[in-house]
Amino acid sequence: MLLLPAHPSFPLPEGVDLGCLLLLLLLGAAAGVLLAGTAAAAVVALHRARRGRPRTAGGARDGGAVDRLTGLPTGGAFAAAVATALDGDGDADGDADEPGPPGGAEVAVVHLALDGFREVNLAHGRPAGDAVLAEVARRLRTGVRGGDVTARLGGDEFAVLLHDAEGADRAATRLLELLAAPVALEGPGAGPGAAAVALTASAGVATGGRPARELLAAAERALRAAKDAGGGCARRWDAAAERERAAEGAAAERLRRGIDDGELEVHYQPCVDVDSRVVSGVECLVRWRRDGELVPPDAFVGLAERHGLVADLGREVLAQAVRDAPLLAAAAGHDVVVAVNVSAPQLRDPALVPAVRRAVAELAPRRLVLEMTESVLVAEDDHTTAVLEALVEAGAHLCVDDFGTGYATLAYLRRRPFTAFKVDRSYVREIETDARTRALVEGLVLLAAATGMGLVAEGVETPEQARLLHGMGAPTQQGFLHARPEPLAGALWTIRRLARELREAPASVA
């Protein structure tokens, strides 16, 4: 662990000309401060900067070719060095945006950023943060080979140009290990009680003979992927993954337009009570009619969750269900339960509880049930708890969907304000052929009866499944045996048919 002064000192005079810079670089090389490759890159970069190329690789403007805090080349100098390496001919005047010749060298760029550096500044002060940045620069310089180029792109971001592209992943891992050692601060600028700063960093790696601008952008995207993975790791730019991300972004934008343009549809699947012989409720299932074709929920609900669209999607489904509820109740001949799915990300939507409160008021006396998966049931954070309680207070009933497929235990059912659960179709599918599954389902039925919770068996597809469930004491059923999800017009016809058949069926058959 190294002791550092809180005020690193390697400032360059402002307005330094090429002669001054050369002198400084020679002195630095004699002292072992700068590697030859880094010095050469700084000279090349200043030459470019004086010719009117002031932008860094990260988009900030450079006041010179060398960073005054760390002594490293700046982003603009680094971009020039990458272009020169790709040209493979030593031409410092080559355009960083132009591809190198077919025989150009394949190099690697490692884009690094410190994790949580802002907290270092807040906790210990700006001078201490500067000391950390200077130490990071020193470690990076010592961690690369002669001829490789290290630069500071700005803020807490650095970059390394490696001429050994094949060893780029190993080099990135080695650099992260070097940066992981704690940094001790001393001096009045280090902040009260400062002893050591633990560093972690993320790295993005890109290789190839593509134009410099593309290589730098690829390394930056790889860094973003490392940050998204939680930081403290290295990620390589992946062309296939990049194409997938681009395709997903385009799909998300298309879904956004679809929501705005009213392309979402709600399909309704009836739920029957074979004891009472009535249609007891409907589940509201979202579909997307994109360019005239129906898109199933598995193809876009996850997309909506990842891109912040699920709140708008959920409110649209709820509003449409409320509008259609009177027609559904009329088809059944009595009030029915209206069940709407709510995903975990929707609980972060501040408009959810007010929307549910309005829906409950408009549906009365029909009941609104919100179905949620076990991921919501087992969430331990205070926000989830508060929202669930607010939804119940607003008049909604909560039901655990797909129960038995996640990590929920009876303790969660006891602590959470859920009043019903649905046995997942994977259990129902096996009750005809597997004695253990049949016993598990029967145990769940007994649990519901003992606790006063409602139970729905979903995925009922055969008469034998329906008979076994009825015999266990699970009369409330949902599945293709009774009805498939349909748009409103088809669902109304199906509900009327089901209601008639259930009324006319002998009790033993129903």
Side-chain angles (χ1 to χ4, degrees), residues 254-388:
R254 178 64 183 84
L255 176 58
R256 187 189 306 276
R257 294 201 310 271
I259 295 173
D260 293 340
D261 295 343
E263 294 179 352
L264 296 182
E265 297 181 3
V266 177
H267 289 200
Y268 299 96
Q269 185 176 25
C271 184
V272 303
D273 186 326
V274 296
D275 266 352
S276 303
R277 291 186 285 175
V278 297
V279 175
S280 57
V282 290
E283 182 177 1
C284 309
L285 302 164
V286 65
R287 302 291 187 267
W288 177 21
R289 193 167 293 281
R290 181 183 60 195
D291 302 326
E293 296 184 2
L294 205 59
V295 181
D298 289 347
F300 68 89
V301 171
L303 180 72
E305 291 177 344
R306 291 190 297 274
H307 290 266
L309 302 175
V310 73
D312 293 337
L313 184 152
R315 289 196 297 271
E316 177 60 30
V317 172
L318 181 60
Q320 192 166 330
V322 169
R323 290 194 298 269
D324 293 342
L327 296 175
L328 296 164
H334 58 86
D335 289 326
V336 294
V337 172
V338 176
V340 176
N341 290 282
V342 174
S343 68
Q346 285 179 261
L347 300 183
R348 301 187 185 96
D349 175 22
L352 175 63
V353 173
V356 167
R357 187 176 292 111
R358 290 191 300 271
V360 168
E362 294 178 36
L363 282 171
R366 293 171 289 276
R367 285 193 302 164
L368 174 64
V369 171
L370 303 179
E371 296 187 5
M372 306 178 194
T373 62
E374 290 184 16
S375 62
V376 174
L377 180 66
V378 303
E380 296 285 3
D381 60 287
D382 294 339
H383 176 75
T384 297
T385 300
V387 173
L388 293 178

Side-chain angles (χ1 to χ4, degrees), residues 91-133:
D91 178 12
D93 295 332
D95 195 323
D97 299 333
E98 293 298 324
E106 180 168 306
V107 298
V109 170
V110 181
H111 190 151
L112 302 109
L114 301 181
D115 300 326
F117 179 70
R118 182 172 178 271
E119 283 67 28
V120 174
N121 275 335
L122 291 176
H124 304 290
R126 178 70 177 272
D130 287 349
V132 169
L133 293 174

Side-chain angles (χ1 to χ4, degrees), residues 10-21 24 46 50 61-69:
F10 188 65
L12 285 177
E14 295 202 12
V16 64
D17 61 18
L18 187 57
C20 293
L21 178 60
L24 285 170
L46 181 57
R50 291 172 68 88
R61 292 190 175 276
D62 290 313
V66 178
D67 177 59
R68 298 179 62 192
L69 174 65

Side-chain angles (χ1 to χ4, degrees), residues 170-181:
R170 293 191 302 274
T173 301
R174 184 176 67 252
L175 292 174
L176 293 183
E177 291 172 351
L178 284 174
L179 297 183

Side-chain angles (χ1 to χ4, degrees), residues 440-454:
L440 286 172
V441 173
E442 192 163 7
L444 291 175
V445 173
L446 293 173
L447 169 67
T451 58
M453 298 185 73

